[in-house]
Amino acid sequence: MSRDALFTKLGQQAPGASDWRGRAEWLRSELNRHAHAYYVLDQPTIPDAEYDALFAELQALESEHPELASADSPTQRVGGTPLPEFRQVQHDVPMLSINNGFSEEDIESFDRRVREGLGSDSAVEYACELKFDGLAINLRYERGVLVQAATRGDGTTGEDVTANIRTVRSIPLRLQTNDPPLLIDVRGEVLMFKADFARLNQRQREVGHKEFANPRNAAAGSLRQLDSRITAQRHLRFFAYGIGRLEGGDFPPRHSALLDWYRALGIPVCDERAVARGAAGVLGFFADIGRRRTALPYEIDGVVYKVDRVAQQQALGFVSRAPRFALAHKFPAEEATTTVLDIGVQVGRTGALTPVARLAPVSVGGVTVTNATLHNEDEVRRKDVRIGDNVIVRRAGDVIPEVVAVVPERRPPDVRQFEMPVACPVCGSPITRPEEEAVARCSGGWIKCAAQRKGGLLHFVSRRAMDIEGLGEQLVEQLVDRGLVTTPADFYKLGLVMLSELDRMAEKSAQNVLKAIEKSKSTTLARFIYALGIRHVGESTAKALARHFGMLDAMLEASEAEVLAVDDIGPVVAHSILSFLSDPLNRELIEQLRASGVHWEENVPERGNQALAGKTIVLTGTLPTLKRDEAAAMVEAAGGKVTGSVSKKTSYVVAGDDAGSKLAKAQELGIPILDETEFLTLLESPE
Ligand code: IVH
């Protein structure tokens, strides 16, 4: 962010030259305050990127006006303030920081400086690793035994967190070697994996405790527990990436060899590392990690390059708070602050109402964001987001931008509370919210509510469903608004004239849309099931259903027990499927789609023999060996159906002892009657 933009955001005027001293003082006190909130209270008040911008401004000011420099400036120290509750630990070798780079040019000039510093023209080898988003820790082993663990603190003095670190299961209490060094300070990062973080916050929510803003704050908060039993429940992890003091042992000649040695000693080292040559090499590593970033089980905010050869590291040395031989290449900030202009609600295809913050446009991770989800009403209350608030917005990877938190100290006096509407903003139907659910819904259904209709239709045509290219949001909107399309079946009735008359539709594009609609008729059963938009039936459930039933009719006729037999389908999903399929309107839709030519290859699923396919069986009386439900399961497995009463449609009656009126009825109607042995024979070999 530019300096002027920053001032605008803070509602202040950029100072004139005479105000530099005041400005520097203000920056120092702001930075100190935010750093205290961040490091000591584990409750960040502004996004990292903004802190970095303030910090960079102060650094620039101090170097332009050396008379402003002061020993107690935040630029003169490395980390946070040690906590008073923990015993203080002096680091024998200071724990430094790393300089940051953001652009390719930053990396190239870092590489140039390194080569200049070494007086060498040949490509330098860099150890590339991840920049973990946790907190730095020093582990001291004496004769192979863990004797002390300390946080970085201000780089010189940290906090003794030995008791808590002992609870981190991946950290060895004794090194795996018969020949340990007399003393070694292993340095690395303590962090919390994303899944553990999600579970922790879930638990915090359940017991009504405050949630953590991100995995790093959760890791920091967990490590600074005064009660190590709490730390033990938090599932912290550790990755080593550096070394402090070493006695009675030799420094490996390369950083990469140091990490290999750690691994051999049983110290956790991250697998995502490589040695690369020159700027081009490290940029390749950066690109590769960038692509896989969201799939990693932990959060990283960049990668780190370190000159691999230790002799070269020593030749390069340090400048003030950071080594010349290392650089952190950071990803663009995924968080930014902006103002909530309004809070609206979006009606989804299932009628679910999602509060959405309308934002003053802000660039996050290189994309301009104007809307961010607030998930549901409870989230709005929990985060206490109000209209007019300053908020931190986050956009990670390809997920929908969300409001992370309010910046309470920037709350203007005239903020307004958000109220969930009582009527649907689109169709006016009442909004309902079952007590035990977090989601409020429009009760209009998709017949009444155009938003649900549009959502459902867009889902139907989407890439993973029927994949009708060219039927985007604007086109579907027009089709619905003009009443040309009400149900998905209507797509298959569209004609060239109708389409060409729409806004922004030339005949050529209308033809393309029709072609895409035609092409979509040839699909797969899984896509078709998914496209129906049955609640709780996502892509993988749709695939499981298609695999299990093989044929649509088999699914349409399935009993609850049969649906429950499908992989990973539980009672809630089964109920949703059965209630969708029992609605005559949905049945009609399915028939219309089939009638307009939507088809797929049907498979008879491999389910052993289907001796009773299409047959209806009535079980009555007590069978000699089979229990009633065992026999019923066998009938269903063989493709038959079990019913409770005998009629002309009954194929067989299986009768045991004490069979009563059903047996009599079967005799009366002339329906074949089988005993257990005959039943089992029939299952083996249909006549
Ligand atoms: S090396 C002399 N390597 O980033 C360099 N630090 O700004 C010492 N960090 O406090 C640090 N991943 O908490 C190094 N692979 C990595 C890192 C890493 C994360 C953190 C660490 C440190 C900060 C430096």
Side-chain angles (χ1 to χ4, degrees), residues 458-489:
L458 276 170
H459 171 78
F460 184 84
V461 303
S462 66
R463 201 165 51 80
R464 295 176 171 281
M466 299 303 281
D467 191 20
I468 309 186
E469 227 178 292
L471 271 180
E473 212 168 318
Q474 286 169 3
L475 189 49
V476 169
E477 189 128 315
Q478 280 195 66
L479 291 168
V480 172
D481 290 344
R482 294 179 188 220
L484 294 173
V485 170
T486 315
T487 84

PDB file of all heavy atoms in Angstrom, residues 458-489:
ATOM      1  N   LEU A 458     -28.597 -22.809 -12.633  1.00  0.00           N
ATOM      2  CA  LEU A 458     -27.153 -22.628 -12.826  1.00  0.00           C
ATOM      3  C   LEU A 458     -26.384 -23.862 -12.384  1.00  0.00           C
ATOM      4  O   LEU A 458     -25.394 -24.248 -12.993  1.00  0.00           O
ATOM      5  CB  LEU A 458     -26.660 -21.406 -12.053  1.00  0.00           C
ATOM      6  CG  LEU A 458     -26.838 -20.085 -12.789  1.00  0.00           C
ATOM      7  CD1 LEU A 458     -26.561 -18.921 -11.859  1.00  0.00           C
ATOM      8  CD2 LEU A 458     -25.910 -20.024 -14.008  1.00  0.00           C
ATOM      9  N   HIS A 459     -26.878 -24.477 -11.321  1.00  0.00           N
ATOM     10  CA  HIS A 459     -26.247 -25.714 -10.869  1.00  0.00           C
ATOM     11  C   HIS A 459     -26.412 -26.800 -11.939  1.00  0.00           C
ATOM     12  O   HIS A 459     -25.472 -27.519 -12.256  1.00  0.00           O
ATOM     13  CB  HIS A 459     -26.873 -26.175  -9.557  1.00  0.00           C
ATOM     14  CG  HIS A 459     -26.434 -27.537  -9.137  1.00  0.00           C
ATOM     15  ND1 HIS A 459     -25.214 -27.780  -8.558  1.00  0.00           N
ATOM     16  CD2 HIS A 459     -27.036 -28.751  -9.260  1.00  0.00           C
ATOM     17  CE1 HIS A 459     -25.091 -29.081  -8.334  1.00  0.00           C
ATOM     18  NE2 HIS A 459     -26.179 -29.691  -8.757  1.00  0.00           N
ATOM     19  N   PHE A 460     -27.601 -26.880 -12.507  1.00  0.00           N
ATOM     20  CA  PHE A 460     -27.890 -27.892 -13.535  1.00  0.00           C
ATOM     21  C   PHE A 460     -26.936 -27.787 -14.725  1.00  0.00           C
ATOM     22  O   PHE A 460     -26.428 -28.780 -15.216  1.00  0.00           O
ATOM     23  CB  PHE A 460     -29.346 -27.740 -13.998  1.00  0.00           C
ATOM     24  CG  PHE A 460     -29.778 -28.786 -14.993  1.00  0.00           C
ATOM     25  CD1 PHE A 460     -30.222 -30.034 -14.568  1.00  0.00           C
ATOM     26  CD2 PHE A 460     -29.754 -28.525 -16.356  1.00  0.00           C
ATOM     27  CE1 PHE A 460     -30.617 -31.004 -15.480  1.00  0.00           C
ATOM     28  CE2 PHE A 460     -30.141 -29.483 -17.279  1.00  0.00           C
ATOM     29  CZ  PHE A 460     -30.576 -30.733 -16.839  1.00  0.00           C
ATOM     30  N   VAL A 461     -26.668 -26.540 -15.161  1.00  0.00           N
ATOM     31  CA  VAL A 461     -25.841 -26.366 -16.362  1.00  0.00           C
ATOM     32  C   VAL A 461     -24.343 -26.321 -16.051  1.00  0.00           C
ATOM     33  O   VAL A 461     -23.533 -26.283 -16.963  1.00  0.00           O
ATOM     34  CB  VAL A 461     -26.215 -25.076 -17.140  1.00  0.00           C
ATOM     35  CG1 VAL A 461     -27.675 -25.098 -17.519  1.00  0.00           C
ATOM     36  CG2 VAL A 461     -25.887 -23.822 -16.332  1.00  0.00           C
ATOM     37  N   SER A 462     -23.983 -26.320 -14.743  1.00  0.00           N
ATOM     38  CA  SER A 462     -22.582 -26.073 -14.381  1.00  0.00           C
ATOM     39  C   SER A 462     -21.647 -27.171 -14.909  1.00  0.00           C
ATOM     40  O   SER A 462     -22.084 -28.257 -15.281  1.00  0.00           O
ATOM     41  CB  SER A 462     -22.443 -25.942 -12.864  1.00  0.00           C
ATOM     42  OG  SER A 462     -22.756 -27.180 -12.264  1.00  0.00           O
ATOM     43  N   ARG A 463     -20.361 -26.845 -14.898  1.00  0.00           N
ATOM     44  CA  ARG A 463     -19.364 -27.693 -15.551  1.00  0.00           C
ATOM     45  C   ARG A 463     -19.369 -29.130 -15.039  1.00  0.00           C
ATOM     46  O   ARG A 463     -19.258 -30.081 -15.799  1.00  0.00           O
ATOM     47  CB  ARG A 463     -17.972 -27.079 -15.331  1.00  0.00           C
ATOM     48  CG  ARG A 463     -16.930 -27.504 -16.309  1.00  0.00           C
ATOM     49  CD  ARG A 463     -15.729 -26.590 -16.243  1.00  0.00           C
ATOM     50  NE  ARG A 463     -15.276 -26.440 -14.860  1.00  0.00           N
ATOM     51  CZ  ARG A 463     -14.528 -27.322 -14.220  1.00  0.00           C
ATOM     52  NH1 ARG A 463     -14.114 -28.408 -14.844  1.00  0.00           N
ATOM     53  NH2 ARG A 463     -14.171 -27.135 -12.967  1.00  0.00           N
ATOM     54  N   ARG A 464     -19.527 -29.307 -13.737  1.00  0.00           N
ATOM     55  CA  ARG A 464     -19.463 -30.658 -13.195  1.00  0.00           C
ATOM     56  C   ARG A 464     -20.804 -31.386 -13.264  1.00  0.00           C
ATOM     57  O   ARG A 464     -20.896 -32.567 -12.965  1.00  0.00           O
ATOM     58  CB  ARG A 464     -18.976 -30.621 -11.752  1.00  0.00           C
ATOM     59  CG  ARG A 464     -17.563 -30.117 -11.683  1.00  0.00           C
ATOM     60  CD  ARG A 464     -17.100 -29.978 -10.267  1.00  0.00           C
ATOM     61  NE  ARG A 464     -15.690 -29.706 -10.228  1.00  0.00           N
ATOM     62  CZ  ARG A 464     -14.744 -30.640 -10.388  1.00  0.00           C
ATOM     63  NH1 ARG A 464     -15.081 -31.900 -10.568  1.00  0.00           N
ATOM     64  NH2 ARG A 464     -13.477 -30.303 -10.347  1.00  0.00           N
ATOM     65  N   ALA A 465     -21.851 -30.617 -13.633  1.00  0.00           N
ATOM     66  CA  ALA A 465     -23.166 -31.255 -13.790  1.00  0.00           C
ATOM     67  C   ALA A 465     -23.389 -31.528 -15.282  1.00  0.00           C
ATOM     68  O   ALA A 465     -22.662 -32.305 -15.870  1.00  0.00           O
ATOM     69  CB  ALA A 465     -24.238 -30.363 -13.183  1.00  0.00           C
ATOM     70  N   MET A 466     -24.368 -30.849 -15.926  1.00  0.00           N
ATOM     71  CA  MET A 466     -24.632 -31.140 -17.340  1.00  0.00           C
ATOM     72  C   MET A 466     -23.628 -30.455 -18.275  1.00  0.00           C
ATOM     73  O   MET A 466     -23.613 -30.722 -19.460  1.00  0.00           O
ATOM     74  CB  MET A 466     -26.063 -30.739 -17.703  1.00  0.00           C
ATOM     75  CG  MET A 466     -27.129 -31.473 -16.915  1.00  0.00           C
ATOM     76  SD  MET A 466     -27.020 -33.264 -17.064  1.00  0.00           S
ATOM     77  CE  MET A 466     -27.799 -33.484 -18.667  1.00  0.00           C
ATOM     78  N   ASP A 467     -22.831 -29.570 -17.738  1.00  0.00           N
ATOM     79  CA  ASP A 467     -21.744 -28.948 -18.495  1.00  0.00           C
ATOM     80  C   ASP A 467     -22.226 -28.304 -19.789  1.00  0.00           C
ATOM     81  O   ASP A 467     -21.783 -28.681 -20.871  1.00  0.00           O
ATOM     82  CB  ASP A 467     -20.660 -30.008 -18.774  1.00  0.00           C
ATOM     83  CG  ASP A 467     -19.383 -29.377 -19.324  1.00  0.00           C
ATOM     84  OD1 ASP A 467     -19.195 -28.166 -19.140  1.00  0.00           O
ATOM     85  OD2 ASP A 467     -18.590 -30.105 -19.943  1.00  0.00           O
ATOM     86  N   ILE A 468     -23.177 -27.367 -19.668  1.00  0.00           N
ATOM     87  CA  ILE A 468     -23.648 -26.669 -20.872  1.00  0.00           C
ATOM     88  C   ILE A 468     -22.893 -25.353 -20.981  1.00  0.00           C
ATOM     89  O   ILE A 468     -23.186 -24.384 -20.267  1.00  0.00           O
ATOM     90  CB  ILE A 468     -25.175 -26.425 -20.830  1.00  0.00           C
ATOM     91  CG1 ILE A 468     -25.897 -27.744 -20.514  1.00  0.00           C
ATOM     92  CG2 ILE A 468     -25.647 -25.839 -22.164  1.00  0.00           C
ATOM     93  CD1 ILE A 468     -27.404 -27.675 -20.576  1.00  0.00           C
ATOM     94  N   GLU A 469     -21.920 -25.336 -21.859  1.00  0.00           N
ATOM     95  CA  GLU A 469     -21.077 -24.165 -22.006  1.00  0.00           C
ATOM     96  C   GLU A 469     -21.892 -23.021 -22.607  1.00  0.00           C
ATOM     97  O   GLU A 469     -22.764 -23.245 -23.444  1.00  0.00           O
ATOM     98  CB  GLU A 469     -19.904 -24.495 -22.928  1.00  0.00           C
ATOM     99  CG  GLU A 469     -18.579 -24.043 -22.383  1.00  0.00           C
ATOM    100  CD  GLU A 469     -17.465 -24.445 -23.328  1.00  0.00           C
ATOM    101  OE1 GLU A 469     -17.218 -25.663 -23.455  1.00  0.00           O
ATOM    102  OE2 GLU A 469     -16.887 -23.542 -23.924  1.00  0.00           O
ATOM    103  N   GLY A 470     -21.633 -21.815 -22.187  1.00  0.00           N
ATOM    104  CA  GLY A 470     -22.321 -20.664 -22.779  1.00  0.00           C
ATOM    105  C   GLY A 470     -23.579 -20.284 -22.020  1.00  0.00           C
ATOM    106  O   GLY A 470     -24.096 -19.186 -22.193  1.00  0.00           O
ATOM    107  N   LEU A 471     -24.082 -21.178 -21.177  1.00  0.00           N
ATOM    108  CA  LEU A 471     -25.244 -20.815 -20.360  1.00  0.00           C
ATOM    109  C   LEU A 471     -24.746 -20.270 -19.027  1.00  0.00           C
ATOM    110  O   LEU A 471     -24.782 -20.963 -18.017  1.00  0.00           O
ATOM    111  CB  LEU A 471     -26.145 -22.029 -20.139  1.00  0.00           C
ATOM    112  CG  LEU A 471     -27.229 -22.267 -21.185  1.00  0.00           C
ATOM    113  CD1 LEU A 471     -28.057 -23.501 -20.833  1.00  0.00           C
ATOM    114  CD2 LEU A 471     -28.158 -21.066 -21.307  1.00  0.00           C
ATOM    115  N   GLY A 472     -24.297 -19.031 -19.065  1.00  0.00           N
ATOM    116  CA  GLY A 472     -23.739 -18.422 -17.860  1.00  0.00           C
ATOM    117  C   GLY A 472     -24.806 -17.731 -17.031  1.00  0.00           C
ATOM    118  O   GLY A 472     -25.997 -17.799 -17.326  1.00  0.00           O
ATOM    119  N   GLU A 473     -24.321 -17.040 -16.010  1.00  0.00           N
ATOM    120  CA  GLU A 473     -25.214 -16.415 -15.051  1.00  0.00           C
ATOM    121  C   GLU A 473     -26.164 -15.402 -15.698  1.00  0.00           C
ATOM    122  O   GLU A 473     -27.370 -15.412 -15.428  1.00  0.00           O
ATOM    123  CB  GLU A 473     -24.360 -15.718 -13.995  1.00  0.00           C
ATOM    124  CG  GLU A 473     -25.010 -15.704 -12.637  1.00  0.00           C
ATOM    125  CD  GLU A 473     -24.028 -15.284 -11.546  1.00  0.00           C
ATOM    126  OE1 GLU A 473     -22.862 -15.740 -11.584  1.00  0.00           O
ATOM    127  OE2 GLU A 473     -24.437 -14.507 -10.682  1.00  0.00           O
ATOM    128  N   GLN A 474     -25.602 -14.560 -16.576  1.00  0.00           N
ATOM    129  CA  GLN A 474     -26.438 -13.497 -17.159  1.00  0.00           C
ATOM    130  C   GLN A 474     -27.515 -14.056 -18.074  1.00  0.00           C
ATOM    131  O   GLN A 474     -28.653 -13.592 -18.078  1.00  0.00           O
ATOM    132  CB  GLN A 474     -25.558 -12.515 -17.926  1.00  0.00           C
ATOM    133  CG  GLN A 474     -24.774 -11.642 -16.972  1.00  0.00           C
ATOM    134  CD  GLN A 474     -23.706 -10.835 -17.669  1.00  0.00           C
ATOM    135  OE1 GLN A 474     -23.570 -10.886 -18.894  1.00  0.00           O
ATOM    136  NE2 GLN A 474     -22.958 -10.092 -16.883  1.00  0.00           N
ATOM    137  N   LEU A 475     -27.152 -15.082 -18.836  1.00  0.00           N
ATOM    138  CA  LEU A 475     -28.121 -15.673 -19.752  1.00  0.00           C
ATOM    139  C   LEU A 475     -29.246 -16.366 -18.978  1.00  0.00           C
ATOM    140  O   LEU A 475     -30.436 -16.183 -19.258  1.00  0.00           O
ATOM    141  CB  LEU A 475     -27.403 -16.654 -20.692  1.00  0.00           C
ATOM    142  CG  LEU A 475     -28.231 -17.202 -21.847  1.00  0.00           C
ATOM    143  CD1 LEU A 475     -28.936 -16.072 -22.593  1.00  0.00           C
ATOM    144  CD2 LEU A 475     -27.337 -17.982 -22.807  1.00  0.00           C
ATOM    145  N   VAL A 476     -28.844 -17.156 -17.964  1.00  0.00           N
ATOM    146  CA  VAL A 476     -29.846 -17.856 -17.165  1.00  0.00           C
ATOM    147  C   VAL A 476     -30.781 -16.835 -16.497  1.00  0.00           C
ATOM    148  O   VAL A 476     -31.999 -17.010 -16.457  1.00  0.00           O
ATOM    149  CB  VAL A 476     -29.178 -18.775 -16.123  1.00  0.00           C
ATOM    150  CG1 VAL A 476     -30.188 -19.301 -15.114  1.00  0.00           C
ATOM    151  CG2 VAL A 476     -28.474 -19.936 -16.826  1.00  0.00           C
ATOM    152  N   GLU A 477     -30.183 -15.758 -16.019  1.00  0.00           N
ATOM    153  CA  GLU A 477     -30.966 -14.699 -15.388  1.00  0.00           C
ATOM    154  C   GLU A 477     -32.045 -14.172 -16.346  1.00  0.00           C
ATOM    155  O   GLU A 477     -33.226 -14.058 -15.991  1.00  0.00           O
ATOM    156  CB  GLU A 477     -30.020 -13.579 -15.001  1.00  0.00           C
ATOM    157  CG  GLU A 477     -30.657 -12.524 -14.153  1.00  0.00           C
ATOM    158  CD  GLU A 477     -29.825 -12.276 -12.905  1.00  0.00           C
ATOM    159  OE1 GLU A 477     -29.390 -13.248 -12.270  1.00  0.00           O
ATOM    160  OE2 GLU A 477     -29.619 -11.121 -12.592  1.00  0.00           O
ATOM    161  N   GLN A 478     -31.626 -13.874 -17.561  1.00  0.00           N
ATOM    162  CA  GLN A 478     -32.584 -13.356 -18.559  1.00  0.00           C
ATOM    163  C   GLN A 478     -33.670 -14.378 -18.866  1.00  0.00           C
ATOM    164  O   GLN A 478     -34.848 -14.046 -18.959  1.00  0.00           O
ATOM    165  CB  GLN A 478     -31.855 -13.066 -19.881  1.00  0.00           C
ATOM    166  CG  GLN A 478     -31.105 -11.778 -19.912  1.00  0.00           C
ATOM    167  CD  GLN A 478     -30.750 -11.452 -21.364  1.00  0.00           C
ATOM    168  OE1 GLN A 478     -31.626 -11.201 -22.196  1.00  0.00           O
ATOM    169  NE2 GLN A 478     -29.473 -11.497 -21.668  1.00  0.00           N
ATOM    170  N   LEU A 479     -33.243 -15.622 -19.030  1.00  0.00           N
ATOM    171  CA  LEU A 479     -34.206 -16.676 -19.374  1.00  0.00           C
ATOM    172  C   LEU A 479     -35.259 -16.836 -18.282  1.00  0.00           C
ATOM    173  O   LEU A 479     -36.441 -17.012 -18.561  1.00  0.00           O
ATOM    174  CB  LEU A 479     -33.475 -18.002 -19.613  1.00  0.00           C
ATOM    175  CG  LEU A 479     -32.613 -18.051 -20.879  1.00  0.00           C
ATOM    176  CD1 LEU A 479     -31.712 -19.274 -20.888  1.00  0.00           C
ATOM    177  CD2 LEU A 479     -33.490 -18.038 -22.134  1.00  0.00           C
ATOM    178  N   VAL A 480     -34.793 -16.752 -17.014  1.00  0.00           N
ATOM    179  CA  VAL A 480     -35.734 -16.890 -15.904  1.00  0.00           C
ATOM    180  C   VAL A 480     -36.623 -15.651 -15.820  1.00  0.00           C
ATOM    181  O   VAL A 480     -37.852 -15.754 -15.721  1.00  0.00           O
ATOM    182  CB  VAL A 480     -34.989 -17.112 -14.569  1.00  0.00           C
ATOM    183  CG1 VAL A 480     -35.944 -17.071 -13.389  1.00  0.00           C
ATOM    184  CG2 VAL A 480     -34.248 -18.443 -14.602  1.00  0.00           C
ATOM    185  N   ASP A 481     -36.003 -14.472 -15.916  1.00  0.00           N
ATOM    186  CA  ASP A 481     -36.779 -13.239 -15.777  1.00  0.00           C
ATOM    187  C   ASP A 481     -37.844 -13.099 -16.862  1.00  0.00           C
ATOM    188  O   ASP A 481     -38.908 -12.540 -16.630  1.00  0.00           O
ATOM    189  CB  ASP A 481     -35.848 -12.022 -15.776  1.00  0.00           C
ATOM    190  CG  ASP A 481     -35.021 -11.964 -14.499  1.00  0.00           C
ATOM    191  OD1 ASP A 481     -35.392 -12.673 -13.528  1.00  0.00           O
ATOM    192  OD2 ASP A 481     -34.002 -11.246 -14.465  1.00  0.00           O
ATOM    193  N   ARG A 482     -37.547 -13.604 -18.053  1.00  0.00           N
ATOM    194  CA  ARG A 482     -38.542 -13.514 -19.133  1.00  0.00           C
ATOM    195  C   ARG A 482     -39.501 -14.697 -19.143  1.00  0.00           C
ATOM    196  O   ARG A 482     -40.302 -14.855 -20.066  1.00  0.00           O
ATOM    197  CB  ARG A 482     -37.839 -13.456 -20.483  1.00  0.00           C
ATOM    198  CG  ARG A 482     -37.038 -12.188 -20.628  1.00  0.00           C
ATOM    199  CD  ARG A 482     -36.339 -12.170 -21.942  1.00  0.00           C
ATOM    200  NE  ARG A 482     -35.436 -11.028 -21.977  1.00  0.00           N
ATOM    201  CZ  ARG A 482     -35.251 -10.270 -23.047  1.00  0.00           C
ATOM    202  NH1 ARG A 482     -35.883 -10.527 -24.158  1.00  0.00           N
ATOM    203  NH2 ARG A 482     -34.417  -9.255 -22.988  1.00  0.00           N
ATOM    204  N   GLY A 483     -39.338 -15.559 -18.151  1.00  0.00           N
ATOM    205  CA  GLY A 483     -40.251 -16.696 -18.053  1.00  0.00           C
ATOM    206  C   GLY A 483     -40.036 -17.747 -19.136  1.00  0.00           C
ATOM    207  O   GLY A 483     -40.907 -18.590 -19.372  1.00  0.00           O
ATOM    208  N   LEU A 484     -38.876 -17.703 -19.784  1.00  0.00           N
ATOM    209  CA  LEU A 484     -38.634 -18.687 -20.847  1.00  0.00           C
ATOM    210  C   LEU A 484     -38.195 -20.032 -20.278  1.00  0.00           C
ATOM    211  O   LEU A 484     -38.395 -21.075 -20.882  1.00  0.00           O
ATOM    212  CB  LEU A 484     -37.567 -18.166 -21.821  1.00  0.00           C
ATOM    213  CG  LEU A 484     -37.977 -16.931 -22.634  1.00  0.00           C
ATOM    214  CD1 LEU A 484     -36.811 -16.393 -23.438  1.00  0.00           C
ATOM    215  CD2 LEU A 484     -39.136 -17.294 -23.556  1.00  0.00           C
ATOM    216  N   VAL A 485     -37.574 -19.967 -19.131  1.00  0.00           N
ATOM    217  CA  VAL A 485     -37.124 -21.207 -18.499  1.00  0.00           C
ATOM    218  C   VAL A 485     -37.584 -21.221 -17.041  1.00  0.00           C
ATOM    219  O   VAL A 485     -37.348 -20.271 -16.306  1.00  0.00           O
ATOM    220  CB  VAL A 485     -35.578 -21.331 -18.563  1.00  0.00           C
ATOM    221  CG1 VAL A 485     -35.091 -22.470 -17.697  1.00  0.00           C
ATOM    222  CG2 VAL A 485     -35.114 -21.527 -19.994  1.00  0.00           C
ATOM    223  N   THR A 486     -38.274 -22.285 -16.668  1.00  0.00           N
ATOM    224  CA  THR A 486     -38.691 -22.446 -15.283  1.00  0.00           C
ATOM    225  C   THR A 486     -38.024 -23.675 -14.677  1.00  0.00           C
ATOM    226  O   THR A 486     -37.539 -23.640 -13.556  1.00  0.00           O
ATOM    227  CB  THR A 486     -40.219 -22.602 -15.183  1.00  0.00           C
ATOM    228  OG1 THR A 486     -40.811 -21.617 -16.017  1.00  0.00           O
ATOM    229  CG2 THR A 486     -40.693 -22.396 -13.762  1.00  0.00           C
ATOM    230  N   THR A 487     -38.011 -24.748 -15.431  1.00  0.00           N
ATOM    231  CA  THR A 487     -37.347 -25.949 -14.914  1.00  0.00           C
ATOM    232  C   THR A 487     -36.224 -26.317 -15.888  1.00  0.00           C
ATOM    233  O   THR A 487     -36.236 -25.878 -17.038  1.00  0.00           O
ATOM    234  CB  THR A 487     -38.318 -27.150 -14.821  1.00  0.00           C
ATOM    235  OG1 THR A 487     -38.384 -27.772 -16.117  1.00  0.00           O
ATOM    236  CG2 THR A 487     -39.695 -26.720 -14.357  1.00  0.00           C
ATOM    237  N   PRO A 488     -35.293 -27.161 -15.447  1.00  0.00           N
ATOM    238  CA  PRO A 488     -34.192 -27.546 -16.331  1.00  0.00           C
ATOM    239  C   PRO A 488     -34.686 -28.130 -17.649  1.00  0.00           C
ATOM    240  O   PRO A 488     -34.025 -27.999 -18.676  1.00  0.00           O
ATOM    241  CB  PRO A 488     -33.434 -28.590 -15.514  1.00  0.00           C
ATOM    242  CG  PRO A 488     -33.701 -28.228 -14.101  1.00  0.00           C
ATOM    243  CD  PRO A 488     -35.103 -27.697 -14.079  1.00  0.00           C
ATOM    244  N   ALA A 489     -35.872 -28.764 -17.628  1.00  0.00           N
ATOM    245  CA  ALA A 489     -36.376 -29.378 -18.869  1.00  0.00           C
ATOM    246  C   ALA A 489     -36.608 -28.316 -19.938  1.00  0.00           C
ATOM    247  O   ALA A 489     -36.546 -28.595 -21.137  1.00  0.00           O
ATOM    248  CB  ALA A 489     -37.661 -30.144 -18.582  1.00  0.00           C
TER     249      ALA A 489
END
